[in-house]
Amino acid sequence: MEREHLKLVIVGHVDHGKSTLIGRLFYDTDSLPREKLEEVRQICEALGRELEFAFVMDHLEEERSQGITIDTAQTFFKTAKRDYVIIDAPGHREFTKNMITGASQAEAAILIVDVSEGVQEQTRRHAYILSMLGLKQVIVVLNKMDLVGYSEEVFEKVRGHTLDFLKRIGINPTYVIPISAREGDNVASRSERMPWYTGPTILEALDTFKKTERRDGGPLRFAVQDVYNIEGKRIIVGRVEAGTLRRGDEIVILPTGERTRVKSIEEFMREGVEEAPPGKSTGITLEDKLFVDRGQILCRLEEETPKMVSEVKGSIFWMSSEPLQVGESVIFKCSTQEAPCRVEAIERRIDSSTLEVIEESSSRLENREVGEVTLSFASPVIVEDFNVTPELGRFVIEKEGNISGGGIITRLEG
Amino acid sequence: MITVIAIDALEYTLVEEFNMRNLKQDYYGRTDISEFSEPRTMVLWSSFMTGENREAEILAKGDKEMWNTRIPHEETFFSHFKNPFVLDLPGYNYDLEQHRRERELLKEFFEEKDEERKREVRRKYNENAFAHHRRVKERFFEALEGDYDFVLGYFSVADVIGHLNFGNRSLMKMIYRDLDDIVSRVEGKKIVLSDHGMKAVGAFGDHSDYGFWSTNFRDLGRPRITDFKRIVLQEALGE
Ligand SMILES: Nc1nc2c(ncn2[C@@H]2O[C@H](COP(=O)(O)OP(=O)(O)OP(=O)(O)O)[C@@H](O)[C@H]2O)c(=O)[nH]1
Ligand SMILES: [Zn+2]
């Protein structure tokens, strides 16, 4: 049987120890390729320093970016219970563009805070994103306990401040764990240097979390990416955003509303495929020759289908030095849909670091601000409330050719 | 008290790309070395320490003899300090034997035709450079504890390793991380300075034609390497 895997995101202020923690998690669970570890160990030795996990992670990342193939298993770390997949952390390179798509796929989050520095600007921003995305399974780790002599007093103080802040944005972490990522305390094994701490280690804490991803239940949403004609067959390629697609399913195509059946599921070198689980990219053929195109969504006939709307309200996290302005036209991207939209209104501009409401109603949204925004479309889009179907409820905004913000849909109108 | 961390061949674009915060400090940029016909290590450091363009004089010595340059203490701005400590700087007091060995191995590497033996030479070359780097680091940190009114540490590792391994980004990044770490451990006013940068030539590295500077006290704009005499003396002694 396939092992269960849980998607995890690790966020926190720069230098608070994300890379080190990731390296430590891989190392302590024996999930690092040995020869790579050995290479890095030798270089560290040559440089006259101890092996550092940040170096190991750099090394793996560097090779990956150069296209030197890395076994996919290496992006997993394993516990006795399941595998964990680390989703590229937002803020790794100061707000990566895929923040919304990345973090919104996560089922659990670790927020890392350097105990000697406490909550900092990016701690706040990242926490805000977690809160916006409604992540409930959150572990706060107070890192670098070695720098404060493993002091319970310091831990309690910073823990208090951190929880106060998180409470303000509606995050109630399941665990707060004192760790030293570098020394390995309370990551995979219990620290003898903090006998006063009786809670779980990070791995134990993670293992108590539940998979939130619907395994196969929920209504089907198949987003069309492309249509190919191969050897006389018309193959529709797309991604199962939600639900499970089965051969023989009676489906309806949105927005045209036409109906047909799934004739076959086409996978490379595989015959007679019966179903495609959520998250799977695959090809299908249909019983009837209907008009199908990129951006369309296929749903199951007997299930509730998403609405087609010409106006949505959403929370947008803006990440560009070019502000978003009321009245302007930008590109809205959701799943495989791409549609021009007009910014109708910006309500409640919030500074994502101080959480201060800058303005109740505004004409613009500046870099690193969050706003409640109303967008309108000339022709309807197929979207859903983020809390109902996250895959069709998150979007990014492209302005002048650049992904400049991301957000979630909170209300559908029209 | 001011500390100069002199790093041979520290490349501006790599510092940016790897986002090395300590190397960048608060203000950073490229130096202008366009007055020199070529980015030569010995020419650049000699000009740095004297505050004068010494290219003609150094080149006149010829390719071999150039490396033995020893500029007298009185001609350098170090002489303005009461008790300066300068560590291993080319053209002043660097370890000639170390450098001779590096050039010898480099020559051997390029003359060797057998791939297997070539790798072995490279291994020796790298190990030789790293061993030197470890010694220099140790002495540098000792010096920071000492009673000096000026400390300059010269680090050749990025240049020496870069020449034969610039295509190995992962290795270069680890070296930059190490240099970044060194800078982070220096307290007080500091300047990071390179003579020139480095650009890829296949898997190897060649000098690029600008240097790198950074400070934790003010923006220097686009300085020339000869400006640093004035900058250091001004910051340290108010001269
Ligand atoms: N003393 C101590 N230092 C640590 C610990 N964890 C990380 N560090 C150090 O903190 C520094 C930053 O750690 P990284 O893991 O690179 O931090 P990061 O959050 O990934 O930083 P970016 O990737 O730049 O955002 C490094 O010098 C680490 O060695 C710890 O538990 N104790
Ligand atoms: Zn040089």
Side-chain angles (χ1 to χ4, degrees):
Chain A
M1 214 192 90
E2 210 180 297
R3 273 169 66 88
E4 179 176 271
H5 66 263
L6 191 116
K7 292 186 196 141
L8 176 68
V9 70
I10 300 185
V11 298
H13 193 70
V14 33
D15 272 351
H16 281 197
K18 292 183 294 291
S19 310
T20 307
L21 176 59
I22 295 173
R24 171 57 74 179
L25 286 164
F26 278 69
Y27 183 76
D28 283 0
T29 55
D30 214 8
S31 311
L32 282 171
R34 267 169 216 280
E35 49 329 323
K36 295 281 171 257
L37 200 62
E38 199 40 47
E39 275 169 38
V40 179
R41 189 194 305 284
Q42 275 174 15
I43 297 168
C44 284
E45 219 165 83
L47 287 165
R49 55 192 305 144
E50 297 200 346
L51 178 73
E52 264 182 60
F53 294 119
F55 280 51
V56 180
M57 297 330 280
D58 268 1
H59 187 54
L60 293 178
E61 203 171 290
E62 212 42 71
E63 297 212 329
R64 197 169 312 158
S65 69
Q66 285 181 8
I68 300 169
T69 39
I70 286 201
D71 182 334
T72 47
Q74 289 166 8
T75 57
F76 290 81
F77 67 88
K78 299 167 190 293
T79 65
K81 180 163 181 184
R82 55 162 89 100
D83 294 347
Y84 290 89
V85 184
I86 298 185
I87 299 176
D88 194 27
H92 199 84
R93 274 172 223 79
E94 182 64 13
F95 284 115
T96 45
K97 297 296 181 196
N98 58 6
M99 170 204 76
I100 293 292
T101 41
S104 68
Q105 287 171 35
E107 298 164 88
I110 295 179
L111 177 67
I112 188 166
V113 179
D114 180 337
V115 74
S116 66
E117 291 194 352
V119 170
Q120 298 290 316
E121 181 188 319
Q122 286 162 45
T123 320
R124 296 197 195 97
R125 297 193 198 287
H126 293 174
Y128 198 99
I129 295 171
L130 298 181
S131 128
M132 180 166 119
L133 297 170
L135 235 88
K136 294 281 182 292
Q137 310 194 104
V138 178
I139 299 175
V140 171
V141 297
L142 300 189
N143 187 32
K144 308 197 189 181
M145 285 300 295
D146 55 299
L147 293 184
V148 298
Y150 298 100
S151 152
E152 177 174 15
E153 201 182 323
V154 177
F155 172 73
E156 283 303 333
K157 199 171 119 224
V158 180
R159 177 176 176 274
H161 287 309
T162 310
L163 290 178
D164 282 348
F165 161 72
L166 291 176
K167 200 167 162 196
R168 287 171 60 202
I169 54 172
I171 293 183
N172 179 19
T174 321
Y175 305 97
V176 183
I177 308 178
I179 68 160
S180 167
R182 202 167 74 181
E183 307 300 323
D185 297 277
N186 289 335
V187 177
S189 54
R190 185 158 299 280
S191 170
E192 283 164 16
R193 289 177 278 217
M194 292 177 273
W196 46 266
Y197 174 76
T198 54
T201 62
I202 295 185
L203 290 187
E204 287 165 354
L206 284 172
D207 277 352
T208 67
F209 283 160
K210 295 200 173 56
K211 272 212 65 79
T212 53
E213 223 174 38
R214 282 166 296 190
R215 292 269 345 124
D216 39 34
L220 172 71
R221 305 289 185 251
F222 181 84
V224 178
Q225 270 158 4
D226 236 319
V227 181
Y228 297 102
N229 286 304
I230 302 170
E231 293 166 2
K233 270 194 206 167
R234 196 152 164 273
I235 298 181
I236 295 153
V237 175
R239 192 179 132 95
V240 183
E241 297 282 14
T244 298
L245 178 81
R246 296 197 177 78
R247 194 170 65 85
D249 274 346
E250 253 191 287
I251 57 161
V252 53
I253 302 169
L254 296 181
T256 62
E258 289 183 299
R259 298 169 181 196
T260 181
R261 260 177 207 282
V262 177
K263 187 171 168 193
S264 67
I265 298 177
E266 301 281 329
E267 269 173 41
F268 186 63
M269 304 287 278
R270 277 183 70 196
E271 298 280 328
V273 180
E274 287 297 320
E275 57 176 52
K280 178 103 190 155
S281 290
T282 191
I284 60 173
T285 61
L286 301 176
E287 292 277 357
D288 306 286
K289 196 168 183 318
L290 301 173
F291 172 74
V292 179
D293 201 3
R294 181 182 172 86
Q296 292 181 339
I297 307 281
L298 312 191
C299 304
R300 209 176 278 119
L301 192 57
E302 75 257 25
E303 291 170 346
E304 197 185 331
T305 56
K307 296 205 170 51
M308 289 188 284
V309 295
S310 50
E311 196 172 290
V312 300
K313 271 194 169 39
S315 302
I316 292 186
F317 199 113
W318 196 247
M319 303 178 267
S320 162
S321 49
E322 279 289 306
L324 179 73
Q325 285 165 320
V326 167
E328 77 173 326
S329 190
V330 290
I331 305 290
F332 171 91
K333 294 185 168 181
C334 171
S335 181
T336 57
Q337 299 173 84
E338 236 183 273
C341 71
R342 202 182 109 94
V343 182
E344 294 294 339
I346 298 175
E347 283 144 44
R348 288 177 71 80
R349 246 175 92 194
I350 298 165
D351 180 317
S352 66
S353 170
T354 61
L355 306 182
E356 185 191 332
V357 177
I358 302 164
E359 251 181 313
E360 280 300 340
S361 170
S362 176
S363 61
R364 60 209 282 131
L365 196 59
E366 303 272 359
N367 198 8
R368 295 168 175 179
E369 291 174 358
V370 178
E372 304 296 320
V373 176
T374 307
L375 304 171
S376 70
F377 303 88
S379 45
V381 286
I382 308 157
V383 293
E384 289 176 83
D385 189 317
F386 178 79
N387 290 311
V388 178
T389 310
E391 294 79 7
L392 290 185
R394 58 182 174 233
F395 61 89
V396 295
I397 296 288
E398 191 180 288
K399 175 168 169 164
E400 286 152 16
N402 297 312
I403 302 287
S404 307
I408 58 166
I409 291 167
T410 52
R411 227 169 104 189
L412 311 171
E413 274 163 53
Chain B
M1 167 68 187
I2 189 165
T3 307
V4 174
I5 302 107
I7 303 178
D8 212 283
L10 188 73
E11 170 59 36
Y12 175 90
T13 55
L14 276 194
V15 173
E16 278 273 55
E17 209 177 307
F18 296 156
N19 192 18
M20 292 291 152
R21 281 182 295 273
N22 298 303
L23 287 172
K24 287 199 221 168
Q25 305 193 72
D26 301 324
Y27 310 94
Y28 68 99
R30 298 177 206 233
T31 60
D32 176 2
I33 53 172
S34 59
E35 67 191 284
F36 301 94
S37 68
E38 263 185 65
R40 288 187 182 85
T41 296
M42 189 55 76
V43 169
L44 290 161
W45 292 118
S46 301
S47 304
F48 157 77
M49 70 183 95
T50 57
E52 298 162 359
N53 183 330
R54 293 281 183 120
E55 183 165 35
E57 173 192 331
I58 303 286
L59 289 188
K61 294 172 187 256
D63 257 0
K64 267 227 168 69
E65 192 44 36
M66 176 165 99
W67 296 106
N68 297 324
T69 303
R70 289 286 199 223
I71 292 184
H73 182 69
E74 311 72 59
E75 291 179 30
T76 70
F77 72 78
F78 314 143
S79 64
H80 292 237
F81 292 91
K82 281 198 194 67
N83 193 18
F85 179 87
V86 176
L87 175 60
D88 208 37
L89 186 66
Y92 181 72
N93 64 352
Y94 82 148
D95 184 341
L96 295 176
E97 176 50 27
Q98 171 68 23
H99 192 75
R100 197 193 49 74
R101 178 93 182 116
E102 279 162 16
R103 273 179 301 158
E104 203 176 81
L105 285 166
L106 196 63
K107 189 157 163 268
E108 203 178 320
F109 177 86
F110 285 108
E111 283 170 359
E112 183 59 66
K113 292 284 171 287
D114 180 71
E115 282 304 317
E116 186 73 23
R117 279 205 295 268
K118 232 177 156 64
R119 267 199 295 280
E120 182 53 25
V121 178
R122 178 162 63 192
R123 199 194 54 73
K124 264 197 231 157
Y125 173 89
N126 288 358
E127 185 39 45
N128 177 56
F130 281 129
H132 183 63
H133 179 64
R134 293 195 295 270
R135 285 192 296 272
V136 167
K137 270 211 296 199
E138 203 169 302
R139 285 168 61 200
F140 178 66
F141 288 118
E142 270 166 30
L144 291 178
E145 302 294 311
D147 188 22
Y148 301 106
D149 55 351
F150 173 74
V151 172
L152 180 147
Y154 168 79
F155 298 90
S156 61
V157 66
D159 182 78
V160 182
I161 296 293
H163 278 303
L164 281 197
N165 307 268
F166 201 64
N168 184 344
R169 277 176 52 96
S170 176
L171 177 61
M172 292 314 292
K173 187 162 181 183
M174 289 188 227
I175 289 170
Y176 275 54
R177 276 238 194 211
D178 193 53
L179 294 165
D180 190 68
D181 221 46
I182 292 171
V183 177
S184 78
R185 289 165 62 185
V186 178
E187 280 165 14
K189 270 188 194 170
K190 50 190 165 184
I191 297 177
V192 176
L193 180 66
S194 77
D195 47 352
H196 49 75
M198 190 163 270
K199 59 185 181 208
V201 181
F204 305 112
D206 194 6
H207 297 172
S208 63
D209 44 20
Y210 45 80
F212 174 91
W213 67 266
S214 76
T215 81
N216 59 354
F217 51 84
R218 77 182 153 92
D219 189 352
L220 305 178
R222 184 140 186 160
R224 299 184 311 165
I225 199 153
T226 48
D227 292 338
F228 284 86
K229 169 182 178 176
R230 185 177 45 77
I231 294 164
V232 170
L233 293 179
Q234 204 170 45
E235 288 300 327
L237 306 171
E239 284 183 16

